[in-house]
Amino acid sequence: MTVIALSLKMYFPRERTIKYCEDLAKLVSERNLSKRKLTMAFLPDFLTLPDAARLLLPEGIRVGSQDICDEDRGAYTGEVSPADVAALGGSVAEIGHIERRRLYHEDDELISKKVAAAWRNNLTPLLCVGEDKVMEPEEAAAYCIKEIHSVVGKEQGYPLWIAYEPRWAIGAEHPAPTSYVKTVCEYLKQAISGYRDANVLYGGSAGPGLLTEIWPSVDGLFLGRFAHDPKAFISVVEEAVNLVD
């Protein structure tokens, strides 16, 4: 399945996020994109998740969270339960982004628990992996596969989306070279092929035209700032539709 996903991080105030959802829902409806052979996913801030679900789920767009607690209930001040994310209509949980690792010191042990919590609550983990520096692509793939295995163990049969974001390319003016991305992602697809809903997305300065260049080595894109305009998000969705139809 081809997947186009977007995380808004904490860029937008609540009102702008809701307006984004309204505009995105209208564009998807007008262009009949919910009937095409791909999955769209939108990850807003926690506080806007209920509104995003209300506006986007009727148009076939999956919604989810940018993080979850590793526990469902208990004395975890400030955390957000994965059970509540699911109850609000979420079906995807972004886990292990480099910002969570660097800013909040999340390690593989905690990230592994969060993946298990996602599966426990019928959420698809969108697990972020990537190398810190430029390597040979085979070496980068081995690094990421080791990272995946340290988090998911030998569990299979569950849904798993991988967001491959070479950390040295996040926020860069240009993405990593296409040949580099294609080689790494082909290895990653092989590594997770035993999962029920196995998809490898590429992030890291992803924008229009990139999916065509690296297809079919990837299953989709994980978008960031480029897609802060709903029309930009739709342009990548339509690019994906042209590839899979």
Side-chain angles (χ1 to χ4, degrees), residues 91-165:
S91 61
V92 181
E94 181 181 0
I95 298 171
H97 192 277
I98 186 56
E99 291 164 1
R100 300 299 310 177
R101 290 178 176 269
R102 288 179 178 169
L103 299 178
Y104 304 103
H105 312 293
E106 295 190 4
D107 58 15
D108 284 350
E109 181 179 3
L110 176 58
I111 292 168
S112 179
K113 291 178 180 178
K114 290 187 176 189
V115 169
W119 283 335
R120 186 170 64 242
N121 288 282
N122 297 315
L123 301 173
T124 297
L126 177 53
L127 176 63
C128 301
V129 302
E131 71 281 12
D132 293 315
K133 60 182 180 181
V134 179
M135 306 175 176
E136 290 299 318
E138 293 81 5
E139 185 182 5
Y143 180 98
C144 294
I145 291 169
K146 182 179 179 181
E147 192 171 29
I148 293 168
H149 287 166
S150 70
V151 170
V152 303
K154 296 183 179 180
E155 298 284 354
Q156 290 198 358
Y158 293 95
L160 180 64
W161 294 355
I162 297 295
Y164 170 56
E165 298 182 312

Side-chain angles (χ1 to χ4, degrees), residues 175-191:
T178 55
S179 60
Y180 185 101
V181 171
K182 290 173 70 174
T183 299
V184 174
C185 288
E186 285 166 2
Y187 279 110
L188 296 185
K189 287 178 72 171
Q190 293 174 17

